[in-house]
Amino acid sequence: MRRFIVIGRKATASEEFLLDDLPSTSGRLDILLRCARAALLTSHGLRRDAVVYLVLLGGPRAPRVLRIRGDAAKFIRPDERSLATLAKKTLASRADEAASGFVDVKPGIAIARGGVEEVLADAAGATLFLLDESGEDLRAALPLAVDDLADVAFFLGDHHGLDAATRARIDAAGARPVSIGPVLVHADDVVAIVSNELDRRGVR
Ligand SMILES: C[S@@+](CC[C@H](N)C(=O)[O-])C[C@H]1O[C@@H](n2cnc3c(N)ncnc32)[C@H](O)[C@@H]1O
């Protein structure tokens, strides 16, 4: 399983954003949705081994985490508007208010109250990496044995990067800082490059 966790420092945890003006009204949820597309979709299908966590730290209902599992989700479309519509419907749910942990809103789509802590609990046992341009080269860090890559989780930031407390928590969880190269690139490009490195190692 390959997990991608995107930390949206201002990305809204509420459904109150405009589909016609996503970047200005959602705390840049559009960045996180592009990461979800890059993690979950190939040219003609859904990656069944991918799980995406969008950590939403902005807006009135924060913090919440939206989780999409490629092995169970249906009808995930690549265009940003469709993904935003899916997020809007999921965030409108109140299913997480009376529950702890992830609650399915529809097949493969779940919501949880909380932030990184909920993700770490859900991904217990995974080998953790933190995407950081000053980290160790990912190509050197990834173990060669496919079995060692059976459950991997990659944390990354949005355009604001990670706040100090979140960074400290991910470090404390034992995540290994890794770089995909010397140039700081957009978050969805990072997800695409990491996915490609996993594909090249035969991770399915
Ligand atoms: C657009 S960048 C963040 C820019 C932000 N201003 C900063 O300085 O952190 C979004 C995220 O992508 C990841 N990232 C970008 N370039 C990277 C690289 N070359 N290697 C590893 N991670 C990278 C980091 O996790 C970063 O938080």
Side-chain angles (χ1 to χ4, degrees):
M1 186 168 293
R2 52 177 80 182
R3 306 171 194 257
F4 289 93
I5 305 100
V6 195
I7 314 293
R9 280 175 73 168
K10 300 274 167 54
T12 185
S14 149
E15 75 280 18
E16 291 162 17
F17 59 81
L18 299 177
L19 291 175
D20 285 337
D21 191 5
L22 188 58
S24 316
T25 62
S26 70
R28 299 304 312 270
L29 181 62
D30 56 307
I31 293 173
L32 280 71
L33 296 175
R34 284 195 290 277
C35 289
R37 185 207 59 74
L40 288 162
L41 296 177
T42 59
S43 182
H44 294 294
L46 198 54
R47 291 184 183 275
R48 297 283 162 200
D49 65 337
V51 185
V52 171
Y53 302 84
L54 306 183
V55 180
L56 307 169
L57 301 179
R61 300 184 63 195
R64 294 170 97 190
V65 184
L66 196 166
R67 184 186 71 191
I68 309 175
R69 292 185 61 109
D71 61 351
K74 295 187 172 66
F75 312 119
I76 303 291
R77 294 165 50 126
D79 64 286
E80 213 167 284
R81 192 179 177 91
S82 298
L83 290 168
T85 301
L86 174 69
K88 199 175 191 34
K89 287 181 181 163
T90 307
L91 295 173
S93 167
R94 298 289 184 267
D96 54 325
E97 283 181 356
S100 62
F102 285 92
V103 184
D104 281 326
V105 174
K106 53 196 281 192
I109 315 291
I111 189 87
R113 277 183 297 125
V116 165
E117 216 56 61
E118 306 304 314
V119 176
L120 287 169
D122 199 60
T127 303
L128 308 181
F129 296 93
L130 171 63
L131 286 153
D132 175 351
E133 71 280 8
S134 54
E136 176 186 3
D137 189 329
L138 176 67
R139 291 183 178 175
L142 278 182
L144 290 177
V146 170
D147 284 352
D148 292 337
L149 295 171
D151 194 357
V152 283
F154 294 87
F155 290 83
L156 69 156
D158 63 1
H159 59 307
H160 293 300
L162 298 180
D163 63 277
T166 303
R167 168 79 201 227
R169 183 64 190 96
I170 296 169
D171 284 342
R176 192 165 165 182
V178 286
S179 166
I180 51 149
V183 178
L184 194 63
V185 297
H186 288 293
D188 53 328
D189 293 335
V190 175
V191 173
I193 289 168
V194 172
S195 298
N196 178 259
E197 292 292 339
L198 296 173
D199 291 344
R200 284 169 172 270
R201 285 164 177 77
V203 179
R204 293 284 182 273

